Amino acid sequence: MGKVVRFEAPRTASIVTEDDPPLGPDEVRLRTLYSGISAGTELTAYRGSNPYLTKRWDDDQRLFVPGSATREYPLDGWGYEEVGEVVETGADVTSVHPGQVVWGTWGHRTSCVRSAEYAADRILDPDADPMLGVFSQIGAIALNVVLDADIHIGETVAVFGLGVPGQIAAQLARLNGARVIGVDAIPGRLELARSLGAEEVLDAREGSVAERVHELTQGRGADVSLEVSGRYPALHEAIRSTAYSARVVAAGFFQGEGQGLLLGEEFHHNRVQVVCSQISGVAPALSYRWNPHRLARTAIDLAVAGRLQVRPLVSHVLPFSEAAMAFELLDTTPEQAVQVVLEMEKGSNP
């Protein structure tokens, strides 16, 4: 029997058992080593604010429409930041072997079965820290933001929200040749961004961020702003901080109505373009060369090469048995954590 994290109801997490699926001839069994918690999307399911829990998503029309909710509690196996070890292979598998480490997405569970093709495409360098594997999807999300931003050498990029995706996006923007201004209301995250290379950091609690961004850019404003916090006031301030006829990339998972978003002000008068970045797709102009798998592979390769620093983002490593405590920590005291990772206890997996 395996174990999986279950959301029983809003803000109620537990661990339950689940049957281990049988292994097919072209499949492999993975024993999870680490599973990272997304402090954005996952928390919306934990809190009960995710729109899939209150509305029905029509996949054909790509619309939320009236009707019964798409998902309902209990919710098992949320999570998309996993890394595990191959412990068993099917009779026909030759491309991977036991002992190899695989990154991917299979939710907060002690083990899973995946196709050999899936595993072979996601083998982690044997010399790399296995913890790097939990950053494949969140790294892909951040890289997609930077591709949507279309950053050029010498430009100034303001990053609003310095949680995990914001910290990664800030580093990737610098790799693109940008000067980065990091914005957050949590001092520890500002310090972390500075230590990882941000040229300037601004405390969102101290005065007008937009005015300070304009001062730092000789009155022009940021060439591109990235909104990664999912907060409407931050999106409004990102719009205010951005240069005339320039771009804001909105990547945060916004919840509820747009309180604090004043579209009749700078957005309207400065012809600011607001672009959504979401990991289900890439910009149309890039779609022949990029896809979500290439995004994830690139993020992992950059981390393994040391060009992208993700290990410093891990603030907590907690036993899998303390998953409920981990979610409560992120929900109630987010200023105390960045990336929280669940570690599987030895003996809890096949």
Side-chain angles (χ1 to χ4, degrees):
M1 297 290 286
K3 296 180 179 179
V4 61
V5 173
R6 168 175 289 179
F7 297 155
E8 304 274 2
R11 291 184 164 90
T12 305
S14 64
I15 295 174
V16 299
T17 59
E18 64 177 2
D19 292 334
D20 291 324
L23 190 68
D26 59 348
E27 294 178 325
V28 303
R29 193 179 309 279
L30 301 171
R31 176 179 66 89
T32 306
L33 298 173
Y34 301 105
S35 187
I37 298 176
S38 159
T41 303
E42 272 191 77
L43 282 189
T44 69
Y46 173 75
R47 292 168 173 159
S49 63
N50 191 293
Y52 284 93
L53 295 170
T54 57
K55 298 178 180 180
R56 183 171 68 86
W57 172 252
D58 185 316
D59 203 42
D60 293 331
Q61 299 184 81
R62 298 197 62 80
L63 290 173
F64 283 103
V65 296
S68 58
T70 303
R71 303 290 299 273
E72 60 183 23
Y73 293 107
L75 301 170
D76 289 351
W78 279 68
Y80 53 72
E81 303 178 15
E82 285 71 52
V83 60
E85 178 184 3
V86 178
V87 293
E88 186 181 4
T89 60
D92 296 341
V93 175
T94 59
S95 55
V96 297
H97 56 78
Q100 289 184 302
V101 175
V102 174
W103 50 264
T105 294
W106 52 85
H108 302 303
R109 48 176 36 93
T110 54
S111 67
C112 74
V113 169
R114 287 291 183 269
S115 72
E117 181 181 11
Y118 179 96
D121 281 345
R122 294 165 175 81
I123 298 295
L124 188 66
D125 187 309
D127 296 324
D129 179 354
M131 187 76 75
L132 301 184
V134 305
F135 290 93
S136 64
Q137 183 74 353
I138 203 73
I141 290 168
L143 177 53
N144 205 30
V145 174
V146 171
L147 292 179
D148 283 324
D150 191 25
I151 297 165
H152 304 102
I153 291 175
E155 292 188 326
T156 295
V157 176
V159 181
F160 289 76
L162 297 172
V164 176
Q167 297 281 358
I168 296 175
Q171 293 184 60
L172 293 171
R174 291 188 73 246
L175 288 178
N176 260 30
R179 171 199 184 201
V180 171
I181 301 173
V183 183
D184 205 291
I186 298 175
R189 294 184 181 183
L190 295 171
E191 295 169 10
L192 179 59
R194 190 185 292 279
S195 73
L196 294 175
E199 283 79 3
E200 303 282 349
V201 294
L202 300 177
D203 192 326
R205 302 168 302 172
E206 299 177 358
S208 167
V209 169
E211 291 178 9
R212 284 177 284 164
V213 170
H214 280 264
E215 289 171 1
L216 291 168
T217 56
Q218 294 76 52
R220 180 183 61 250
D223 296 288
V224 184
S225 290
L226 313 180
E227 202 304 299
V228 203
S229 74
R231 297 185 65 253
Y232 291 109
L235 177 58
H236 180 62
E237 201 64 18
I239 292 170
R240 296 187 69 235
S241 301
T242 304
Y244 179 85
S245 200
R247 174 177 295 188
V248 174
V249 178
F253 191 8
F254 297 94
Q255 302 291 287
E257 297 182 3
Q259 297 287 333
L261 190 58
L262 308 176
L263 297 181
E265 297 184 2
E266 288 82 6
F267 169 74
H268 180 78
H269 289 79
N270 289 337
R271 302 185 76 253
V272 175
Q273 181 186 25
V274 178
V275 175
C276 174
S277 183
Q278 208 272 347
I279 194 58
S280 63
V282 297
L286 303 177
S287 60
Y288 288 99
R289 294 179 288 116
W290 285 90
N291 57 35
H293 180 66
R294 184 182 177 185
L295 292 171
R297 166 56 67 187
T298 301
I300 289 294
D301 288 346
L302 289 171
V304 170
R307 299 181 67 196
L308 181 63
Q309 297 296 315
V310 294
R311 195 60 178 80
L313 305 181
V314 178
S315 60
H316 295 73
V317 180
L318 299 175
F320 183 71
S321 59
E322 297 180 9
M325 182 186 302
F327 278 96
E328 183 178 2
L329 168 69
L330 286 168
D331 181 37
T332 61
T333 54
E335 70 281 358
Q336 296 181 11
V338 186
Q339 178 64 69
V340 176
V341 176
L342 301 176
E343 181 177 14
M344 303 302 156
E345 299 97 327
K346 289 181 174 59
S348 64
N349 302 321

